[in-house]
Amino acid sequence: MKDLSKYRNIGIFAHVDAGKTTTTERILKLTGTIHKTGEVHDGESTTDFMEQEAERGITIQSAAVTCFWKDHRFNVIDTPGHVDFTVEVYRSLKVLDGGIGVFCGSGGVEPQSETNWRYANDSKVARIIFVNKLDRMGADFYRVIEQTKKVLGANPLVMVLPIGIEDEFSGVVDLLTRKAYIWDATGLPENYEITDIPADMLELTEEYREKLIETAVEQDDDLMEAYLEEGVEPSMEELKRCIRKGTRTMEFFPAYCGSAFKNKGIQNILDAVVDYLPSPTEVDPQPLTDEEGEPTGKFATVSTEETFKALAFKIMDDRFGALTFIRIYSGTLKKGDTILNSFTGKTERVGRMVEMQADDRKELSAAQAGDIMAIVGMKNNVQTGHTLCDPKDPIILEAMVFPNPVISISVTPKDKGSTEKMGIAIGKMVAEDPTFKVETDVDSGETILSGMGELHLDIKVDILKRTYGVDLAVGEPQVAYRETITEEIEDSYTHKKQSGGSGQFGKIDYRIKPGEPGSGFVFTSKVVGGNVPKEFFPAIEKGFKGMMDTGVLAGFPVLDVEVEVYDGGFHAVDSSAVAFELAARGAFRQSIPKAGAQLLEPIMAVDVFTPDDHVGDVIGDLNRRRGMIAGQEAGTSGVRIKADVPLSEMFGYIGSLRTMTSGRGQFSMLFKNYMPCPNNVAEGVIEKVKADKAAKKK
């Protein structure tokens, strides 16, 4: 059996363009996994192997690689930074034990860094901070460290200090050993020397070293007492033990710096992963749940002695067939074993197992607790978040929760022969990406693709065209509007039908009122006595709930409605579950228009970066887009403006922003919440829906 204490399952995450993929490349080069580093801007990095990634210079799907450093095995996942692909970060963090948060030395803590940091907090993933790109104009290590405190609420534990800055950046001072690591001008990562600290940094080094020790010894009362009262400094081993403990419990986050592109400072990070990030056995075990998702109080203990328990966290289709990426939490898995998918209830024999190196693979005959690997060609519809386990010990691991799409487009194959090909391709893509949804418009027969943003859908259409050879006509982007109600009403509805023999009868008296935001549909029954027998309550609830998918204003799904049935009537012969379900459906249609039906639109939290001289133009433009400015913050090279803007006003925004800022502006946006549409906007949306329906009928 492998020694689990030598395992590190880590993810590398950051805002788009902070240098995650370049950092991963350098780690692979230093650990001897690759012999030539490929650059992101040349489209040649190891982990960005999709055509779309190489062209755009961004990471779209997370890639897994395995490497070794100082007898330790690293399973590394390079994740995307762009907001449209955050699901990749979320599901990777779900199965990792530690992470490296990469921040740009000049850009600092950017919007996507905040989201990813929040995901990592939610998943309780210990991490270290790497302030990258210190060789860039405007880089400032100390400013970024302050931002991690203010913006992320994190407690960074500074472990190294930069020597020089921007063009002068040459290496780092290791505070623990009081030694300087200086890289030469060749740009080779292994060409460095360990020297004494530069004289002009001695005072600063001692100041930061004292802070480091004071923070670290808080993890051990005896060491703290000896240090604070008697001035006894802990040994190196004791200090590292304290830092490891505080990192694991997320009391603080060891902070490093360097330039991945210039090969400076990466060794210190690899050492930190070994020294401070937890092994699989040191993290809290994954909770087990019942079928409803409620905790059972039991856990998947990381041990090879337990029965097999694993989570499928990613499905990927490639030229060799479907790959199911799994993280094994307990037990062992061998080729030929039969495993159970506890979600579908189906068992399956494991055929090929592989260890992934981005898009290359190495055949495995066995794997064990702590491993991240892939099973090739699973047959039984395994999806992201499904639990795989021993058929003799069926269990369910805590599920993943994915955000709902906020934007849709209609697509039609340009030739008849592509229809079937498109159906198969989309089926594979939906299995890979839980935030990508597909439905067919009943009226028009069009295929509707829904996703997290314009770039998300743009990439999906590109993959359909290039990877699967399906040429598509693409419609205008559509916003995922919703409907709700604003008033409470009491009403009554009777469903009565006589058609020879027994008829149908169901009467309900009910109240309908607006629910709390985010509450969805809530049904209660306060019927006292036998006016409506209890066995019909589920049918009434089903009737109301079934109508929530189609609102009365423009047919959009309805949010946040409470229905309370307090009386009614039934017929001993003619009443049935079907009759009461139909009564509830009729009641919904009758009452929702009277309850102040209202259209809701998705609001995006928008974060715009602009050079100083264009701030007025950008704010004016956001105001014209019905944006509410939430704040602005000056940086070294420009201003960040935060605003809440309706999604419908943000289509094509990148073009406008680039025009306003001479190509220097950037932005990202995240879905925030649903808010009521202004009347004039709502009327326009409703009219357009009616016109589209009329046109489709012709």
Side-chain angles (χ1 to χ4, degrees):
M1 287 292 164
K2 304 163 194 167
D3 180 358
L4 284 179
S5 68
K6 297 280 175 74
Y7 267 52
R8 298 290 181 273
N9 291 320
I10 58 168
I12 298 183
F13 57 90
H15 186 84
V16 73
D17 209 27
K20 298 172 304 305
T21 302
T22 305
T23 304
T24 308
E25 282 291 299
R26 298 312 185 259
I27 287 173
L28 295 181
K29 173 75 169 66
L30 271 172
T31 56
T33 306
I34 57 174
H35 301 293
K36 173 183 175 290
T37 51
E39 301 308 344
V40 175
H41 49 258
D42 296 332
E44 290 178 354
S45 68
T46 308
T47 51
D48 284 354
F49 52 82
M50 286 170 68
E51 280 179 70
Q52 291 81 2
E53 294 178 312
E55 275 175 21
R56 289 170 167 83
I58 61 168
T59 304
I60 292 168
Q61 61 177 17
S62 45
V65 286
T66 300
C67 56
F68 294 85
W69 182 256
K70 295 191 173 172
D71 293 337
H72 285 66
R73 174 196 175 103
F74 293 3
N75 292 320
V76 185
I77 296 187
D78 172 30
T79 63
H82 197 284
V83 60
D84 287 10
F85 308 103
T86 35
V87 63
E88 290 284 341
V89 184
Y90 165 72
R91 60 181 172 186
S92 300
L93 282 167
K94 182 87 178 143
V95 297
L96 293 168
D97 307 322
I100 302 172
V102 182
F103 300 94
C104 173
S106 58
V109 178
E110 296 168 284
Q112 202 50 38
S113 337
E114 291 179 51
T115 308
N116 294 340
W117 197 264
R118 195 174 68 245
Y119 283 158
N121 284 343
D122 292 346
S123 299
K124 297 187 172 59
V125 171
R127 65 220 94 122
I128 53 183
I129 290 168
F130 176 47
V131 180
N132 189 22
K133 301 193 176 186
L134 283 191
D135 55 322
R136 275 177 80 160
M137 282 286 289
D140 184 341
F141 173 68
Y142 302 99
R143 181 174 57 85
V144 179
I145 289 297
E146 281 310 306
Q147 279 187 332
T148 61
K149 293 177 191 171
K150 279 204 317 226
V151 181
L152 304 176
N155 182 14
L157 183 69
V158 175
M159 303 293 292
V160 300
L161 299 179
I163 301 171
I165 206 75
E166 296 179 357
D167 291 347
E168 305 291 310
F169 177 66
S170 60
V172 297
V173 170
D174 183 328
L175 295 177
L176 281 184
T177 59
R178 290 192 178 99
K179 290 290 178 192
Y181 287 67
I182 312 246
W183 278 265
D184 67 18
T186 60
L188 293 170
E190 50 274 12
N191 284 12
Y192 68 93
E193 56 177 344
I194 299 175
T195 65
D196 290 333
I197 300 166
D200 62 348
M201 289 188 70
L202 285 168
E203 200 176 313
L204 192 66
T205 300
E206 289 310 310
E207 180 194 327
Y208 271 90
R209 191 171 191 276
E210 198 172 311
K211 284 185 199 167
L212 189 158
I213 295 171
E214 278 175 11
T215 307
V217 294
E218 285 173 8
Q219 302 299 314
D220 185 311
D221 291 345
D222 294 342
L223 292 179
M224 183 163 74
E225 199 175 311
Y227 179 69
L228 294 179
E229 291 181 14
E230 296 157 41
V232 178
E233 189 177 293
S235 69
M236 188 65 73
E237 196 178 304
E238 288 168 333
L239 265 177
K240 283 189 172 180
R241 179 170 53 77
C242 288
I243 296 169
R244 185 177 181 83
K245 184 183 173 191
T247 306
R248 193 175 72 75
T249 54
M250 299 196 303
E251 296 284 324
F252 46 70
F253 304 94
Y256 291 81
C257 65
S259 164
F261 182 57
K262 296 279 175 65
N263 285 309
K264 293 171 184 170
I266 303 296
Q267 282 95 334
N268 308 75
I269 294 221
L270 292 172
D271 289 345
V273 170
V274 168
D275 289 341
Y276 308 127
L277 288 182
S279 73
T281 53
E282 290 172 309
V283 294
D284 293 337
Q286 282 287 313
L288 304 179
T289 69
D290 60 20
E291 288 174 4
E292 304 300 314
E294 295 298 318
T296 58
K298 296 178 181 170
F299 297 89
T301 310
V302 178
S303 159
T304 51
E305 306 301 311
E306 299 268 321
T307 57
F308 173 71
K309 302 175 186 71
L311 187 72
F313 69 95
K314 181 177 166 66
I315 312 295
M316 193 173 104
D317 198 74
D318 73 359
R319 60 190 188 277
F320 302 107
L323 286 170
T324 304
F325 282 81
I326 66 169
R327 160 73 197 262
I328 304 177
Y329 287 106
S330 304
T332 56
L333 182 65
K334 296 187 190 69
K335 213 168 159 176
D337 282 356
T338 297
I339 56 175
L340 168 74
N341 178 339
S342 61
F343 185 85
T344 61
K346 292 183 175 171
T347 55
E348 183 155 353
R349 195 164 170 275
V350 176
R352 287 173 61 210
M353 293 159 44
V354 292
E355 179 185 286
M356 295 302 293
Q357 285 293 10
D359 61 341
D360 286 335
R361 61 203 49 211
K362 183 176 133 196
E363 295 281 338
L364 297 174
S365 57
Q368 66 167 49
D371 277 332
I372 290 177
M373 38 75 75
I375 302 174
V376 183
M378 291 191 79
K379 309 278 189 301
N380 292 326
N381 196 22
V382 179
Q383 289 177 5
T384 299
H386 284 183
T387 299
L388 303 174
C389 57
D390 185 327
K392 297 190 192 75
D393 182 21
I395 53 100
I396 300 172
L397 285 156
E398 190 176 60
M400 297 183 178
V401 182
F402 298 109
N404 289 317
V406 292
I407 179 173
S408 307
I409 51 172
S410 61
V411 294
T412 319
K414 285 188 178 169
D415 57 82
K416 286 280 191 323
S418 293
T419 308
E420 190 181 339
K421 205 161 38 163
M422 180 180 84
I424 293 166
I426 286 177
K428 289 177 178 178
M429 288 162 70
V430 169
E432 287 180 14
D433 184 349
T435 58
F436 178 55
K437 301 273 193 285
V438 179
E439 57 190 352
T440 304
D441 187 307
V442 182
D443 297 328
S444 66
E446 288 177 325
T447 301
I448 310 293
L449 308 182
S450 304
M452 301 308 293
E454 281 184 283
L455 178 66
H456 192 200
L457 293 180
D458 182 32
I459 300 272
K460 297 298 181 195
V461 169
D462 199 36
I463 291 171
L464 280 167
K465 284 181 180 171
R466 275 201 274 186
T467 310
Y468 296 104
V470 182
D471 211 8
L472 298 169
V474 180
E476 287 293 303
Q478 301 294 318
V479 178
Y481 290 100
R482 294 290 181 263
E483 298 181 22
T484 191
I485 56 172
T486 55
E487 296 162 25
E488 178 175 343
I489 61 159
E490 282 195 14
D491 214 342
S492 178
Y493 187 88
T494 306
H495 173 72
K496 213 189 234 174
K497 198 173 177 191
Q498 201 66 44
S499 55
S502 64
Q504 288 182 355
F505 181 85
K507 176 176 185 285
I508 48 173
D509 299 333
Y510 54 90
R511 294 181 192 92
I512 288 186
K513 63 179 180 181
E516 290 294 315
S519 62
F521 171 72
V522 178
F523 176 81
T524 50
S525 170
K526 295 280 173 69
V527 181
V528 180
N531 291 354
V532 179
K534 276 201 175 80
E535 65 261 30
F536 297 136
F537 293 171
I540 298 169
E541 181 176 359
K542 185 183 171 193
F544 277 114
K545 196 173 185 179
M547 296 298 285
M548 292 285 288
D549 291 337
T550 317
V552 295
L553 292 173
F556 294 108
V558 182
L559 297 180
D560 309 332
V561 171
E562 288 185 22
V563 175
E564 180 189 287
V565 175
Y566 62 87
D567 207 351
F570 83 108
H571 186 280
V573 177
D574 292 351
S575 286
S576 64
V578 170
F580 274 101
E581 186 180 329
L582 291 170
R585 286 174 166 270
F588 187 94
R589 277 191 292 268
Q590 169 182 290
S591 301
I592 293 291
K594 301 183 204 170
Q598 184 179 54
L599 200 67
L600 300 173
E601 60 182 349
I603 303 295
M604 310 303 282
V606 178
D607 203 304
V608 186
F609 169 82
T610 169
D612 294 331
D613 41 354
H614 298 292
V615 173
D617 296 340
V618 170
I619 288 179
D621 180 66
L622 288 170
N623 285 332
R624 278 192 295 279
R625 293 171 186 270
R626 298 193 282 123
M628 295 282 292
I629 307 298
Q632 49 183 305
E633 184 187 313
T636 48
S637 52
V639 177
R640 275 177 60 191
I641 301 162
K642 295 191 177 215
D644 297 337
V645 192
L647 174 63
S648 60
E649 304 287 349
M650 290 301 292
F651 293 138
Y653 179 64
I654 189 64
S656 307
L657 180 64
R658 282 180 180 152
T659 305
M660 277 184 287
T661 60
S662 311
R664 290 157 64 205
Q666 293 175 321
F667 89 103
S668 67
M669 63 181 185
L670 271 169
F671 170 70
K672 186 178 181 189
N673 56 9
Y674 275 97
M675 291 291 283
C677 256
N679 285 341
N680 60 331
V681 176
E683 283 162 16
V685 172
I686 293 164
E687 284 305 311
K688 186 175 182 306
V689 169
K690 283 179 182 166
D692 288 350
K693 281 186 177 167
K696 283 168 186 171
K697 278 179 183 165
K698 286 178 186 174

